[in-house]
PDB file of all heavy atoms in Angstrom:
ATOM      1  N   MET T1019     -46.695   6.416   7.578  1.00 97.00           N
ATOM      2  CA  MET T1019     -45.401   6.272   6.959  1.00 97.00           C
ATOM      3  C   MET T1019     -45.088   4.872   6.400  1.00 97.00           C
ATOM      4  O   MET T1019     -44.304   4.698   5.440  1.00 97.00           O
ATOM      5  CB  MET T1019     -44.294   6.731   7.936  1.00 97.00           C
ATOM      6  CG  MET T1019     -44.255   8.186   8.205  1.00 97.00           C
ATOM      7  SD  MET T1019     -43.892   9.115   6.702  1.00 97.00           S
ATOM      8  CE  MET T1019     -43.830  10.770   7.312  1.00 97.00           C
ATOM      9  N   GLU T1020     -45.714   3.881   6.967  1.00 98.00           N
ATOM     10  CA  GLU T1020     -45.257   2.457   6.636  1.00 98.00           C
ATOM     11  C   GLU T1020     -45.511   2.200   5.139  1.00 98.00           C
ATOM     12  O   GLU T1020     -44.560   1.728   4.503  1.00 98.00           O
ATOM     13  CB  GLU T1020     -46.075   1.470   7.476  1.00 98.00           C
ATOM     14  CG  GLU T1020     -45.719   0.048   7.187  1.00 98.00           C
ATOM     15  CD  GLU T1020     -46.296  -0.937   8.213  1.00 98.00           C
ATOM     16  OE1 GLU T1020     -46.429  -0.539   9.349  1.00 98.00           O
ATOM     17  OE2 GLU T1020     -46.510  -2.082   7.788  1.00 98.00           O
ATOM     18  N   GLY T1021     -46.611   2.602   4.596  1.00 98.00           N
ATOM     19  CA  GLY T1021     -46.929   2.378   3.148  1.00 98.00           C
ATOM     20  C   GLY T1021     -45.971   3.173   2.349  1.00 98.00           C
ATOM     21  O   GLY T1021     -45.511   2.654   1.267  1.00 98.00           O
ATOM     22  N   LYS T1022     -45.726   4.360   2.730  1.00 98.00           N
ATOM     23  CA  LYS T1022     -44.813   5.269   1.871  1.00 98.00           C
ATOM     24  C   LYS T1022     -43.391   4.702   1.864  1.00 98.00           C
ATOM     25  O   LYS T1022     -42.774   4.686   0.873  1.00 98.00           O
ATOM     26  CB  LYS T1022     -44.808   6.645   2.537  1.00 98.00           C
ATOM     27  CG  LYS T1022     -46.058   7.449   2.397  1.00 98.00           C
ATOM     28  CD  LYS T1022     -45.882   8.851   3.010  1.00 98.00           C
ATOM     29  CE  LYS T1022     -47.207   9.604   2.879  1.00 98.00           C
ATOM     30  NZ  LYS T1022     -47.094  11.037   3.418  1.00 98.00           N
ATOM     31  N   VAL T1023     -42.942   4.172   3.037  1.00 98.00           N
ATOM     32  CA  VAL T1023     -41.581   3.615   3.059  1.00 98.00           C
ATOM     33  C   VAL T1023     -41.510   2.369   2.197  1.00 98.00           C
ATOM     34  O   VAL T1023     -40.512   2.180   1.446  1.00 98.00           O
ATOM     35  CB  VAL T1023     -41.148   3.379   4.482  1.00 98.00           C
ATOM     36  CG1 VAL T1023     -39.792   2.704   4.532  1.00 98.00           C
ATOM     37  CG2 VAL T1023     -41.099   4.611   5.300  1.00 98.00           C
ATOM     38  N   ILE T1024     -42.460   1.488   2.325  1.00 98.00           N
ATOM     39  CA  ILE T1024     -42.511   0.227   1.490  1.00 98.00           C
ATOM     40  C   ILE T1024     -42.484   0.607   0.072  1.00 98.00           C
ATOM     41  O   ILE T1024     -41.764  -0.040  -0.756  1.00 98.00           O
ATOM     42  CB  ILE T1024     -43.674  -0.653   1.866  1.00 98.00           C
ATOM     43  CG1 ILE T1024     -43.555  -1.173   3.295  1.00 98.00           C
ATOM     44  CG2 ILE T1024     -43.861  -1.731   0.864  1.00 98.00           C
ATOM     45  CD1 ILE T1024     -44.787  -1.909   3.798  1.00 98.00           C
ATOM     46  N   GLU T1025     -43.259   1.628  -0.397  1.00 98.00           N
ATOM     47  CA  GLU T1025     -43.299   2.012  -1.733  1.00 98.00           C
ATOM     48  C   GLU T1025     -41.953   2.626  -2.182  1.00 98.00           C
ATOM     49  O   GLU T1025     -41.483   2.391  -3.232  1.00 98.00           O
ATOM     50  CB  GLU T1025     -44.448   2.990  -1.982  1.00 98.00           C
ATOM     51  CG  GLU T1025     -44.663   3.306  -3.431  1.00 98.00           C
ATOM     52  CD  GLU T1025     -44.976   2.126  -4.311  1.00 98.00           C
ATOM     53  OE1 GLU T1025     -45.520   1.094  -3.823  1.00 98.00           O
ATOM     54  OE2 GLU T1025     -44.715   2.229  -5.548  1.00 98.00           O
ATOM     55  N   GLY T1026     -41.306   3.377  -1.229  1.00 98.00           N
ATOM     56  CA  GLY T1026     -40.013   3.939  -1.542  1.00 98.00           C
ATOM     57  C   GLY T1026     -38.999   2.819  -1.772  1.00 98.00           C
ATOM     58  O   GLY T1026     -38.134   2.984  -2.643  1.00 98.00           O
ATOM     59  N   ILE T1027     -39.030   1.824  -0.954  1.00 98.00           N
ATOM     60  CA  ILE T1027     -38.071   0.684  -1.140  1.00 98.00           C
ATOM     61  C   ILE T1027     -38.289   0.031  -2.535  1.00 98.00           C
ATOM     62  O   ILE T1027     -37.369  -0.236  -3.245  1.00 98.00           O
ATOM     63  CB  ILE T1027     -38.271  -0.316  -0.035  1.00 98.00           C
ATOM     64  CG1 ILE T1027     -37.879   0.289   1.338  1.00 98.00           C
ATOM     65  CG2 ILE T1027     -37.461  -1.595  -0.325  1.00 98.00           C
ATOM     66  CD1 ILE T1027     -38.261  -0.617   2.521  1.00 98.00           C
TER      67      ILE T1027
END
Side-chain angles (χ1 to χ4, degrees):
M1019 289 297 180
E1020 183 169 326
K1022 291 181 179 179
V1023 175
I1024 292 173
E1025 188 58 26
I1027 295 170

